Amino acid sequence: MSAQETLTVAVRVKPGASRDRVGGRFDGPHGPALVIAVHDPAVDGRATEAARRALAAALGIRPAAVSLRAGAASRDKLFLVDRPASELSALLRRLRDGSAE
């Protein structure tokens, strides 16, 4: 079996936050979702773009590797990560479900 081509990440976006932050869990329509708070407002896709960039930064990958799959007009989104490294799933779980910070 070949390596996984993409990884789907369920995200709950909280626009209008005082600062960008990635971490926490929200049980949404796509299952357990990673919470991403962004400073940008939910206007003209700005919060979605900020969330995409924040997700890439949190995962240590380039923003071009992350794309929106579903939820352009919703707080509940699905992002795709192209050619994810094997350790990315574990990192996502730590960000979503908590870690020693």
Side-chain angles (χ1 to χ4, degrees), residues 10 17 23 36 49-50 76:
I36 301 180
E49 176 60 16
D76 298 300

Side-chain angles (χ1 to χ4, degrees), residues 8-11 30-31 67-72 75-80:
T8 302
V9 182
V11 167
H30 303 298
S67 60
L68 182 67
R69 182 178 139 206
R75 289 177 186 236
D76 298 300
K77 303 181 183 301
L78 291 176
F79 285 100
L80 290 178

